[in-house]
Amino acid sequence: MKIVVCLLSGIVGILLVAILVLSGMTMRPGANMARAEVEIAASPAEVWPWLTEGEKAKKWVSWLVEVREASPDKQVWVMHDMN
């Protein structure tokens, strides 16, 4: 019986440590941010239309449904997240 209590206490202790570590990791600066970088072997003049023209952007952003011009210098991207 004493062995069972020790084993259960050890499992509970490990779970508590895991929960504390994970919750501590979510509180660090930048924990809710993701960052990625891609180097494209093309000139900015070739790439820019794929970022700013709605129909071209929809070809490479799979969840993009619509691109609207909010003002001459702003766009609204309407997305559908399947998750």
Side-chain angles (χ1 to χ4, degrees):
M1 184 69 176
K2 188 175 181 181
I3 293 174
V4 173
V5 171
C6 287
L7 286 174
L8 289 176
S9 299
I11 292 172
V12 169
I14 291 172
L15 287 174
L16 286 174
V17 168
I19 290 170
L20 288 172
V21 168
L22 289 173
S23 57
M25 289 174 66
T26 62
M27 294 179 192
R28 63 192 165 97
N32 62 343
M33 303 292 288
R35 187 173 182 157
E37 189 173 314
V38 176
E39 190 170 320
I40 300 172
S43 69
E46 291 175 283
V47 175
W48 191 250
W50 290 91
L51 299 173
T52 58
E53 295 176 15
E55 291 306 312
K56 286 186 178 182
K58 286 196 287 187
K59 289 182 181 178
W60 67 274
V61 181
S62 60
W63 58 89
L64 185 59
V65 176
E66 178 186 0
V67 177
R68 287 182 266 174
E69 297 294 325
S71 66
D73 62 336
K74 287 187 181 181
Q75 291 180 332
V76 174
W77 285 25
V78 180
M79 299 183 181
H80 177 70
D81 186 4
M82 299 299 282
N83 295 322

Coordinates of all heavy atoms in Angstrom, one line a residue:
M1 N 0.8 -1.2 0.0 CA 0.0 0.0 0.0 C 0.9 1.3 0.0 O 0.5 2.2 -0.7 CB -0.9 0.0 1.2 CG -1.9 1.1 1.3 SD -3.1 0.9 0.0 CE -4.1 2.2 0.3
K2 N 2.0 1.2 0.8 CA 2.9 2.4 0.9 C 3.5 2.6 -0.5 O 3.7 3.8 -0.9 CB 3.9 2.1 1.9 CG 4.8 3.3 2.2 CD 5.7 2.9 3.4 CE 6.6 4.1 3.7 NZ 7.5 3.9 4.8
I3 N 3.8 1.6 -1.3 CA 4.4 1.8 -2.6 C 3.4 2.5 -3.6 O 3.8 3.4 -4.3 CB 4.8 0.4 -3.2 CG1 6.0 -0.2 -2.3 CG2 5.2 0.5 -4.6 CD1 6.4 -1.6 -2.7
V4 N 2.1 2.1 -3.5 CA 1.1 2.7 -4.3 C 1.0 4.2 -4.0 O 0.9 5.0 -4.9 CB -0.2 2.0 -4.2 CG1 -1.4 2.7 -4.9 CG2 -0.1 0.5 -4.6
V5 N 1.0 4.5 -2.8 CA 0.9 5.9 -2.4 C 2.1 6.7 -2.9 O 1.9 7.8 -3.4 CB 0.7 6.0 -0.8 CG1 0.8 7.5 -0.4 CG2 -0.6 5.4 -0.4
C6 N 3.3 6.1 -2.7 CA 4.5 6.8 -3.2 C 4.4 7.0 -4.7 O 4.8 8.0 -5.3 CB 5.7 6.0 -2.9 SG 6.1 6.1 -1.1
L7 N 4.0 6.0 -5.5 CA 3.9 6.1 -6.9 C 2.9 7.1 -7.4 O 3.2 8.0 -8.2 CB 3.5 4.7 -7.6 CG 4.6 3.7 -7.6 CD1 4.0 2.3 -8.1 CD2 5.7 4.1 -8.5
L8 N 1.7 7.1 -6.7 CA 0.7 8.1 -7.0 C 1.2 9.5 -6.7 O 1.0 10.5 -7.4 CB -0.6 7.8 -6.3 CG -1.4 6.6 -6.9 CD1 -2.6 6.4 -6.0 CD2 -1.7 6.8 -8.3
S9 N 1.9 9.7 -5.6 CA 2.4 11.0 -5.2 C 3.5 11.5 -6.2 O 3.5 12.6 -6.6 CB 3.1 10.9 -3.8 OG 2.1 10.5 -2.8
G10 N 4.3 10.5 -6.7 CA 5.3 10.9 -7.7 C 4.7 11.3 -9.0 O 5.1 12.3 -9.6
I11 N 3.6 10.6 -9.4 CA 2.9 11.0 -10.7 C 2.3 12.4 -10.5 O 2.3 13.2 -11.4 CB 1.9 9.9 -11.0 CG1 2.6 8.6 -11.4 CG2 1.0 10.4 -12.1 CD1 1.8 7.4 -11.6
V12 N 1.6 12.6 -9.4 CA 1.0 13.9 -9.1 C 2.0 15.0 -9.1 O 1.8 16.1 -9.7 CB 0.1 13.8 -7.8 CG1 -0.3 15.2 -7.4 CG2 -1.1 12.9 -8.0
G13 N 3.1 14.7 -8.5 CA 4.2 15.7 -8.4 C 4.8 16.0 -9.8 O 5.0 17.2 -10.1
I14 N 5.0 15.0 -10.6 CA 5.4 15.3 -12.0 C 4.4 16.1 -12.8 O 4.8 17.0 -13.5 CB 5.7 13.9 -12.7 CG1 7.0 13.3 -12.1 CG2 5.9 14.1 -14.2 CD1 7.2 11.9 -12.6
L15 N 3.1 15.8 -12.7 CA 2.1 16.5 -13.4 C 2.1 18.0 -12.9 O 1.9 18.9 -13.7 CB 0.7 15.9 -13.1 CG 0.5 14.6 -13.9 CD1 -0.8 14.0 -13.5 CD2 0.5 14.8 -15.4
L16 N 2.2 18.2 -11.6 CA 2.2 19.6 -11.1 C 3.4 20.4 -11.6 O 3.3 21.5 -12.0 CB 2.2 19.6 -9.6 CG 0.9 19.2 -8.9 CD1 1.0 19.1 -7.4 CD2 -0.2 20.2 -9.3
V17 N 4.6 19.8 -11.7 CA 5.7 20.4 -12.2 C 5.5 20.8 -13.7 O 5.8 21.9 -14.1 CB 7.0 19.6 -12.0 CG1 8.2 20.1 -12.8 CG2 7.4 19.5 -10.5
A18 N 5.0 19.8 -14.4 CA 4.7 20.1 -15.9 C 3.7 21.2 -16.0 O 3.9 22.1 -16.9 CB 4.2 18.8 -16.5
I19 N 2.7 21.3 -15.2 CA 1.7 22.4 -15.3 C 2.4 23.7 -15.0 O 2.1 24.7 -15.7 CB 0.5 22.1 -14.4 CG1 -0.3 20.9 -15.0 CG2 -0.4 23.3 -14.3 CD1 -1.4 20.4 -14.1
L20 N 3.2 23.7 -14.0 CA 3.8 25.0 -13.6 C 4.8 25.4 -14.7 O 4.9 26.6 -15.0 CB 4.6 24.8 -12.3 CG 3.7 24.7 -11.0 CD1 4.5 24.3 -9.8 CD2 3.0 26.0 -10.8
V21 N 5.6 24.5 -15.2 CA 6.5 24.9 -16.3 C 5.7 25.4 -17.5 O 6.1 26.5 -18.1 CB 7.4 23.7 -16.7 CG1 8.2 24.0 -18.0 CG2 8.3 23.4 -15.6
L22 N 4.7 24.8 -17.9 CA 3.9 25.2 -19.1 C 3.3 26.6 -18.9 O 3.3 27.4 -19.7 CB 2.9 24.2 -19.5 CG 3.5 22.9 -20.1 CD1 2.4 21.9 -20.3 CD2 4.2 23.2 -21.4
S23 N 2.7 26.8 -17.7 CA 2.1 28.1 -17.4 C 3.1 29.2 -17.3 O 2.9 30.3 -17.7 CB 1.2 28.0 -16.2 OG 1.9 27.6 -15.1
G24 N 4.3 28.8 -16.8 CA 5.4 29.8 -16.7 C 5.8 30.2 -18.1 O 6.2 31.3 -18.4
M25 N 5.9 29.2 -19.0 CA 6.3 29.5 -20.4 C 5.3 30.4 -21.1 O 5.7 31.2 -22.0 CB 6.5 28.2 -21.2 CG 7.7 27.4 -20.7 SD 7.8 25.8 -21.5 CE 8.1 26.3 -23.2
T26 N 4.1 30.4 -20.8 CA 3.1 31.2 -21.5 C 3.1 32.6 -21.0 O 2.6 33.5 -21.7 CB 1.6 30.7 -21.3 OG1 1.3 30.7 -19.9 CG2 1.5 29.3 -21.8
M27 N 3.8 32.9 -19.9 CA 3.9 34.2 -19.4 C 5.1 35.0 -19.8 O 5.3 36.2 -19.5 CB 3.8 34.2 -17.8 CG 2.5 33.7 -17.3 SD 2.5 33.6 -15.5 CE 1.1 32.7 -15.2
R28 N 6.0 34.4 -20.5 CA 7.2 35.1 -20.9 C 6.9 36.0 -22.1 O 6.0 35.9 -22.8 CB 8.3 34.1 -21.3 CG 8.0 33.2 -22.5 CD 8.9 32.0 -22.6 NE 8.3 31.1 -23.5 CZ 8.6 31.0 -24.8 NH1 9.5 31.8 -25.4 NH2 8.0 30.1 -25.6
P29 N 7.7 37.1 -22.3 CA 7.5 38.0 -23.3 C 7.6 37.4 -24.7 O 8.4 36.6 -25.0 CB 8.7 39.0 -23.2 CG 9.2 38.8 -21.8 CD 8.9 37.4 -21.4
G30 N 6.6 37.7 -25.5 CA 6.6 37.2 -26.9 C 6.0 35.7 -27.0 O 6.1 35.1 -28.1
A31 N 5.5 35.2 -25.9 CA 5.0 33.8 -25.9 C 3.8 33.6 -26.9 O 3.6 32.6 -27.4 CB 4.6 33.4 -24.5
N32 N 3.1 34.7 -27.1 CA 1.9 34.6 -28.0 C 2.2 35.0 -29.4 O 1.3 35.2 -30.2 CB 0.7 35.4 -27.4 CG 1.1 36.9 -27.4 OD1 2.2 37.3 -27.4 ND2 0.1 37.7 -27.2
M33 N 3.4 35.2 -29.8 CA 3.8 35.6 -31.1 C 4.6 34.5 -31.9 O 5.3 33.7 -31.3 CB 4.8 36.8 -31.0 CG 4.2 38.0 -30.2 SD 2.8 38.8 -31.1 CE 3.7 39.6 -32.4
A34 N 4.3 34.5 -33.2 CA 5.1 33.6 -34.0 C 5.8 34.4 -35.1 O 5.2 35.4 -35.5 CB 4.1 32.6 -34.7
R35 N 6.9 34.0 -35.5 CA 7.7 34.8 -36.5 C 8.3 33.8 -37.5 O 8.8 32.7 -37.1 CB 8.8 35.6 -35.8 CG 9.5 36.5 -36.7 CD 10.4 37.4 -35.9 NE 11.0 38.3 -36.8 CZ 11.5 39.4 -36.5 NH1 11.5 39.8 -35.3 NH2 12.1 40.2 -37.4
A36 N 8.2 34.2 -38.7 CA 8.8 33.3 -39.8 C 9.5 34.3 -40.8 O 9.1 35.4 -40.9 CB 7.8 32.5 -40.5
E37 N 10.5 33.7 -41.5 CA 11.2 34.5 -42.4 C 11.5 33.6 -43.6 O 11.8 32.5 -43.5 CB 12.6 35.0 -41.8 CG 13.3 36.0 -42.7 CD 14.5 36.5 -41.9 OE1 14.4 36.8 -40.7 OE2 15.6 36.5 -42.5
V38 N 11.3 34.2 -44.8 CA 11.5 33.5 -46.1 C 12.3 34.4 -47.0 O 12.0 35.6 -47.2 CB 10.1 33.1 -46.7 CG1 10.3 32.5 -48.1 CG2 9.3 32.3 -45.8
E39 N 13.3 33.8 -47.6 CA 14.1 34.5 -48.6 C 13.6 34.1 -50.0 O 13.6 32.9 -50.3 CB 15.5 34.2 -48.4 CG 16.4 35.1 -49.3 CD 17.9 35.0 -48.9 OE1 18.2 34.9 -47.7 OE2 18.7 35.0 -49.9
I40 N 13.1 35.1 -50.8 CA 12.6 34.8 -52.1 C 13.6 35.3 -53.2 O 14.0 36.4 -53.1 CB 11.2 35.5 -52.3 CG1 10.3 35.0 -51.3 CG2 10.7 35.3 -53.7 CD1 9.0 35.8 -51.2
A41 N 13.9 34.4 -54.1 CA 14.9 34.7 -55.1 C 14.2 35.4 -56.3 O 14.1 34.9 -57.4 CB 15.6 33.5 -55.6
A42 N 13.7 36.6 -56.0 CA 13.0 37.4 -57.1 C 13.1 38.9 -56.6 O 13.3 39.2 -55.5 CB 11.5 37.0 -57.2
S43 N 12.9 39.8 -57.6 CA 13.0 41.2 -57.3 C 11.7 41.7 -56.6 O 10.7 41.0 -56.7 CB 13.2 42.0 -58.6 OG 12.0 42.0 -59.3
P44 N 11.8 42.7 -55.8 CA 10.6 43.3 -55.2 C 9.5 43.6 -56.2 O 8.3 43.4 -55.9 CB 11.1 44.5 -54.5 CG 12.6 44.2 -54.2 CD 13.0 43.4 -55.4
A45 N 9.9 44.0 -57.3 CA 8.9 44.4 -58.4 C 8.1 43.1 -58.8 O 6.9 43.2 -59.1 CB 9.5 45.0 -59.6
E46 N 8.7 42.0 -58.8 CA 8.1 40.7 -59.1 C 7.2 40.2 -58.0 O 6.2 39.6 -58.2 CB 9.1 39.6 -59.5 CG 9.9 39.9 -60.8 CD 10.9 38.8 -61.0 OE1 12.0 38.9 -60.4 OE2 10.7 37.9 -61.8
V47 N 7.6 40.4 -56.8 CA 6.9 39.8 -55.6 C 5.8 40.7 -55.2 O 4.7 40.2 -54.8 CB 7.9 39.6 -54.5 CG1 7.2 39.1 -53.2 CG2 9.0 38.6 -54.9
W48 N 5.9 42.0 -55.2 CA 4.9 42.9 -54.7 C 3.5 42.7 -55.2 O 2.6 42.7 -54.3 CB 5.4 44.4 -54.9 CG 4.5 45.4 -54.2 CD1 3.6 46.2 -54.7 CD2 4.5 45.5 -52.7 NE1 3.1 46.9 -53.7 CE2 3.6 46.6 -52.5 CE3 5.2 45.0 -51.7 CZ2 3.3 47.0 -51.2 CZ3 4.9 45.4 -50.4 CH2 4.0 46.4 -50.2
P49 N 3.3 42.4 -56.5 CA 1.9 42.2 -56.9 C 1.3 41.0 -56.2 O 0.0 40.9 -56.0 CB 2.0 42.0 -58.4 CG 3.2 42.7 -58.8 CD 4.2 42.5 -57.6
W50 N 2.1 40.0 -55.8 CA 1.5 38.8 -55.2 C 1.1 39.1 -53.7 O 0.4 38.3 -53.1 CB 2.6 37.6 -55.2 CG 2.7 37.1 -56.6 CD1 3.6 37.5 -57.6 CD2 1.9 36.1 -57.3 NE1 3.4 36.9 -58.7 CE2 2.4 36.0 -58.6 CE3 0.8 35.3 -56.8 CZ2 1.8 35.1 -59.5 CZ3 0.3 34.4 -57.7 CH2 0.8 34.3 -59.0
L51 N 1.5 40.2 -53.2 CA 1.2 40.6 -51.9 C 0.0 41.6 -51.9 O -0.7 41.7 -50.9 CB 2.4 41.2 -51.1 CG 3.6 40.3 -50.9 CD1 4.7 41.1 -50.4 CD2 3.3 39.1 -50.1
T52 N -0.1 42.3 -52.9 CA -1.1 43.4 -52.9 C -2.3 43.2 -53.8 O -3.3 43.9 -53.6 CB -0.4 44.7 -53.4 OG1 0.2 44.6 -54.7 CG2 0.7 45.1 -52.4
E53 N -2.2 42.4 -54.8 CA -3.4 42.1 -55.7 C -4.1 41.0 -55.2 O -3.6 39.9 -55.0 CB -2.9 41.9 -57.1 CG -2.2 43.1 -57.8 CD -1.6 42.8 -59.1 OE1 -2.0 41.8 -59.7 OE2 -0.8 43.7 -59.6
G54 N -5.4 41.2 -54.9 CA -6.3 40.2 -54.3 C -6.3 38.8 -54.9 O -6.2 37.8 -54.3
E55 N -6.5 38.8 -56.2 CA -6.6 37.5 -56.9 C -5.3 36.7 -56.9 O -5.3 35.5 -56.7 CB -7.0 37.7 -58.4 CG -8.5 38.1 -58.5 CD -9.5 37.2 -57.8 OE1 -9.4 36.0 -57.9 OE2 -10.3 37.7 -57.0
K56 N -4.2 37.4 -56.9 CA -2.9 36.7 -56.8 C -2.6 36.3 -55.4 O -2.1 35.2 -55.2 CB -1.7 37.7 -57.3 CG -1.7 37.8 -58.8 CD -0.5 38.6 -59.3 CE -0.5 38.7 -60.8 NZ 0.7 39.4 -61.3
A57 N -3.0 37.1 -54.4 CA -2.8 36.7 -53.0 C -3.6 35.5 -52.7 O -3.2 34.6 -51.9 CB -3.2 37.9 -52.1
K58 N -4.8 35.4 -53.2 CA -5.7 34.2 -53.0 C -5.1 32.9 -53.5 O -5.4 31.8 -53.0 CB -7.1 34.4 -53.5 CG -7.9 35.4 -52.7 CD -9.4 35.3 -53.0 CE -9.7 35.9 -54.4 NZ -11.2 36.0 -54.6
K59 N -4.2 33.0 -54.5 CA -3.6 31.8 -55.0 C -2.6 31.2 -54.1 O -2.3 30.0 -54.1 CB -2.9 32.1 -56.4 CG -3.9 32.4 -57.5 CD -3.2 32.7 -58.8 CE -4.2 32.9 -59.8 NZ -3.6 33.3 -61.1
W60 N -1.9 31.9 -53.2 CA -0.9 31.4 -52.3 C -1.3 31.4 -50.9 O -0.7 30.8 -50.0 CB 0.4 32.1 -52.5 CG 0.5 33.5 -52.1 CD1 0.2 34.6 -52.9 CD2 0.9 34.0 -50.9 NE1 0.4 35.7 -52.2 CE2 0.8 35.4 -50.9 CE3 1.4 33.4 -49.7 CZ2 1.2 36.2 -49.9 CZ3 1.7 34.3 -48.6 CH2 1.6 35.7 -48.7
V61 N -2.4 32.1 -50.5 CA -2.9 32.1 -49.1 C -4.2 31.3 -49.2 O -5.3 31.8 -49.6 CB -3.2 33.5 -48.6 CG1 -3.7 33.5 -47.2 CG2 -1.9 34.4 -48.7
S62 N -4.1 30.0 -48.8 CA -5.2 29.1 -49.0 C -6.5 29.5 -48.3 O -7.6 29.2 -48.8 CB -4.8 27.7 -48.6 OG -4.4 27.7 -47.3
W63 N -6.4 30.1 -47.1 CA -7.7 30.4 -46.4 C -8.2 31.8 -46.7 O -9.2 32.3 -46.1 CB -7.4 30.3 -44.9 CG -6.3 31.1 -44.4 CD1 -6.4 32.4 -43.9 CD2 -4.9 30.8 -44.3 NE1 -5.2 32.9 -43.6 CE2 -4.2 31.9 -43.8 CE3 -4.2 29.7 -44.6 CZ2 -2.9 32.0 -43.6 CZ3 -2.8 29.7 -44.4 CH2 -2.2 30.8 -43.9
L64 N -7.6 32.5 -47.6 CA -8.0 33.9 -48.0 C -9.2 33.8 -48.9 O -9.2 33.1 -49.9 CB -6.9 34.6 -48.7 CG -7.1 36.1 -49.1 CD1 -7.4 36.9 -47.8 CD2 -5.9 36.6 -49.8
V65 N -10.3 34.4 -48.5 CA -11.6 34.4 -49.3 C -11.8 35.6 -50.1 O -12.2 35.5 -51.3 CB -12.8 34.3 -48.3 CG1 -14.1 34.3 -49.0 CG2 -12.6 33.0 -47.4
E66 N -11.4 36.8 -49.6 CA -11.7 38.0 -50.3 C -10.6 39.1 -49.9 O -10.2 39.1 -48.7 CB -13.1 38.5 -49.9 CG -13.5 39.8 -50.5 CD -14.9 40.3 -50.0 OE1 -15.5 39.6 -49.2 OE2 -15.3 41.4 -50.4
V67 N -10.3 40.0 -50.8 CA -9.4 41.1 -50.5 C -10.2 42.4 -50.9 O -10.6 42.5 -52.0 CB -8.1 41.0 -51.2 CG1 -7.3 42.3 -50.9 CG2 -7.3 39.8 -50.8
R68 N -10.4 43.3 -49.9 CA -11.1 44.5 -50.2 C -10.2 45.7 -50.0 O -9.4 45.7 -49.1 CB -12.3 44.7 -49.2 CG -13.5 43.8 -49.6 CD -14.6 44.0 -48.6 NE -14.4 43.0 -47.5 CZ -15.1 43.0 -46.4 NH1 -16.0 43.9 -46.2 NH2 -14.9 42.1 -45.5
E69 N -10.4 46.7 -50.7 CA -9.6 48.0 -50.6 C -10.4 48.8 -49.5 O -11.5 49.3 -49.7 CB -9.5 48.7 -51.9 CG -8.7 48.0 -53.0 CD -7.3 47.8 -52.6 OE1 -6.7 48.7 -52.0 OE2 -6.7 46.8 -53.0
A70 N -9.7 49.0 -48.4 CA -10.3 49.8 -47.3 C -10.1 51.3 -47.6 O -10.9 52.2 -47.3 CB -9.8 49.4 -45.9
S71 N -8.9 51.6 -48.1 CA -8.5 53.0 -48.5 C -7.4 52.8 -49.5 O -6.9 51.7 -49.7 CB -8.1 53.8 -47.3 OG -6.9 53.3 -46.7
P72 N -6.9 53.9 -50.1 CA -5.8 53.7 -51.1 C -4.6 53.0 -50.6 O -3.9 52.4 -51.3 CB -5.5 55.1 -51.5 CG -6.8 55.9 -51.2 CD -7.4 55.2 -50.0
D73 N -4.4 53.1 -49.2 CA -3.2 52.4 -48.7 C -3.4 51.3 -47.7 O -2.5 50.8 -47.0 CB -2.3 53.5 -48.0 CG -3.0 54.2 -46.9 OD1 -4.2 54.2 -46.8 OD2 -2.3 54.7 -46.0
K74 N -4.7 50.8 -47.7 CA -5.1 49.8 -46.7 C -6.0 48.7 -47.4 O -6.8 49.1 -48.2 CB -5.8 50.3 -45.5 CG -4.9 51.0 -44.5 CD -5.7 51.4 -43.3 CE -4.9 52.1 -42.3 NZ -5.6 52.4 -41.1
Q75 N -5.7 47.5 -47.1 CA -6.5 46.4 -47.6 C -7.1 45.6 -46.4 O -6.5 45.5 -45.3 CB -5.7 45.4 -48.4 CG -5.2 45.9 -49.7 CD -4.4 44.8 -50.4 OE1 -3.8 44.0 -49.8 NE2 -4.4 44.9 -51.7
V76 N -8.3 45.0 -46.6 CA -8.9 44.1 -45.7 C -8.9 42.7 -46.3 O -9.4 42.5 -47.3 CB -10.4 44.5 -45.3 CG1 -11.0 43.5 -44.4 CG2 -10.4 45.9 -44.7
W77 N -8.2 41.8 -45.6 CA -8.2 40.4 -46.0 C -9.2 39.6 -45.2 O -9.1 39.5 -44.0 CB -6.8 39.8 -45.8 CG -5.7 40.2 -46.8 CD1 -5.7 41.4 -47.5 CD2 -4.6 39.5 -47.1 NE1 -4.6 41.5 -48.3 CE2 -3.9 40.3 -48.0 CE3 -4.0 38.4 -46.7 CZ2 -2.6 39.9 -48.6 CZ3 -2.8 38.0 -47.3 CH2 -2.1 38.7 -48.2
V78 N -10.2 39.0 -45.9 CA -11.2 38.2 -45.3 C -10.7 36.8 -45.4 O -10.5 36.3 -46.5 CB -12.6 38.4 -45.9 CG1 -13.6 37.5 -45.3 CG2 -13.0 39.9 -45.9
M79 N -10.6 36.1 -44.2 CA -10.1 34.7 -44.2 C -11.1 33.8 -43.6 O -11.9 34.2 -42.8 CB -8.8 34.7 -43.4 CG -7.7 35.6 -44.0 SD -6.2 35.4 -43.1 CE -5.2 36.5 -44.0
H80 N -11.0 32.5 -44.0 CA -11.9 31.5 -43.5 C -11.0 30.4 -42.9 O -10.3 29.7 -43.6 CB -12.8 30.9 -44.6 CG -13.6 29.7 -44.1 ND1 -14.7 29.9 -43.2 CD2 -13.5 28.4 -44.4 CE1 -15.2 28.8 -43.0 NE2 -14.5 27.8 -43.6
D81 N -11.0 30.3 -41.6 CA -10.2 29.3 -40.9 C -11.0 28.1 -40.7 O -12.0 28.1 -40.0 CB -9.7 29.9 -39.6 CG -8.7 29.0 -38.8 OD1 -8.3 28.0 -39.4 OD2 -8.3 29.4 -37.7
M82 N -10.5 27.0 -41.2 CA -11.2 25.7 -41.1 C -11.1 25.1 -39.7 O -11.9 24.2 -39.3 CB -10.7 24.7 -42.1 CG -10.9 25.1 -43.5 SD -12.6 25.4 -44.0 CE -13.1 23.7 -44.2
N83 N -10.2 25.6 -38.9 CA -10.0 25.1 -37.5 C -11.0 25.8 -36.6 O -11.1 25.5 -35.5 CB -8.6 25.3 -37.1 CG -7.6 24.5 -37.9 OD1 -7.9 23.4 -38.3 ND2 -6.5 25.1 -38.2

